[in-house]
Amino acid sequence: MLIINNKIKTEIEMAVKNAMFDAMIELDRSKKYFTEEALRYIVMSHIGKLKTFGQFPNSGNSKSRLVFEFPYKRAKTREHTYRPDIASIQFNSISQRNPEVSEHILAIELKIKNNVDDIKKCRHYVSEKAGRMTFQLAICIVLPPKLSNGVISKIHAKEITTRSNSRILFCTVQKNDTGNKVPVAMWLT
């Protein structure tokens, strides 16, 4: 099993920011035709370049595999099944077809609207009590089609923490001091 340390967290944070740069360019070019599927593909491509969480497309030479829409079953007392947009799942062997382990590496939720509700899902993914499996890291990416600082204002200051203390990365875009759109990443409690 992969041990998540600050080096890996820094790498994933940079990969997500780079994906956000590419997604912002694609959003500007595609306008109303930009979809969550396009964002999903861009993020998956950048995460796959790291090779830490698996590759995309999967080469079959790793116990970690990147997949779309992985069914995450919540605890038996809960009704719904979540499907993270992207997940890095762990297998016991390279040739195995179904994951048997209960702890996986990474779950990613994506939105292309001003909505931070998926942070709740990310908290479920990393909680050992919330579901039948857990993830070591969860990422919530919000790329609103119209830029406003409203996304960041929905995050409470008490939720922001240091990289070493967190298992949830939140990434969105905002305008910097010069008025340019830039990706912003923050680690949450």
Side-chain angles (χ1 to χ4, degrees), residues 118-133:
D118 282 349
I119 292 174
K120 293 175 189 172
K121 289 183 185 177
C122 288
R123 287 197 171 103
H124 279 279
Y125 297 149
V126 298
S127 171
E128 295 175 11
K129 298 175 184 174
R132 296 181 186 159
M133 64 184 79

Side-chain angles (χ1 to χ4, degrees), residues 25-48:
I25 291 168
E26 188 61 32
L27 176 62
D28 285 342
R29 290 179 181 159
S30 299
K31 306 284 185 223
K32 67 180 181 178
Y33 301 107
F34 186 82
T35 63
E36 194 170 292
E37 285 74 24
L39 178 60
R40 190 179 299 163
Y41 180 79
I42 292 168
V43 171
M44 176 81 102
S45 297
H46 280 272
I47 301 294

Side-chain angles (χ1 to χ4, degrees), residues 28-175:
D28 285 342
R29 290 179 181 159
S30 299
K31 306 284 185 223
K32 67 180 181 178
Y33 301 107
F34 186 82
T35 63
E36 194 170 292
E37 285 74 24
L39 178 60
R40 190 179 299 163
Y41 180 79
I42 292 168
V43 171
M44 176 81 102
S45 297
H46 280 272
I47 301 294
K49 288 176 187 175
L50 294 176
K51 298 181 182 175
T52 305
F53 304 97
Q55 293 178 282
F56 179 72
N58 288 295
S59 65
N61 296 331
S62 174
K63 291 181 182 181
S64 300
R65 298 191 193 133
L66 289 170
V67 297
F68 291 116
E69 299 285 333
F70 182 67
Y72 167 84
K73 293 185 172 105
R74 296 173 72 186
K76 290 180 182 179
T77 58
R78 315 263 180 178
E79 296 177 16
H80 305 291
T81 297
Y82 291 147
R83 291 187 172 272
D85 292 301
I86 299 171
S88 174
I89 55 174
Q90 191 73 24
F91 292 83
N92 289 332
S93 69
I94 292 172
S95 62
Q96 190 176 4
R97 295 195 186 272
N98 295 312
E100 292 177 359
V101 295
S102 60
E103 183 176 73
H104 297 287
I105 303 169
L106 178 67
I108 301 174
E109 286 290 343
L110 306 164
K111 281 286 178 264
I112 58 168
K113 55 186 172 185
N114 251 344
N115 189 331
V116 297
D117 291 344
D118 282 349
I119 292 174
K120 293 175 189 172
K121 289 183 185 177
C122 288
R123 287 197 171 103
H124 279 279
Y125 297 149
V126 298
S127 171
E128 295 175 11
K129 298 175 184 174
R132 296 181 186 159
M133 64 184 79
T134 59
F135 291 88
Q136 291 183 44
L137 282 178
I139 300 173
C140 181
I141 298 173
V142 176
L143 181 63
K146 293 183 179 167
L147 187 61
S148 73
N149 288 333
V151 175
I152 299 281
S153 66
K154 293 178 184 178
I155 306 294
H156 299 287
K158 65 182 180 183
E159 293 180 285
I160 301 170
T161 187
T162 61
R163 179 181 298 122
S164 60
N165 292 334
S166 180
R167 295 173 64 193
I168 300 171
L169 176 64
F170 176 76
C171 192
T172 190
V173 294
Q174 70 177 23
K175 289 184 180 178

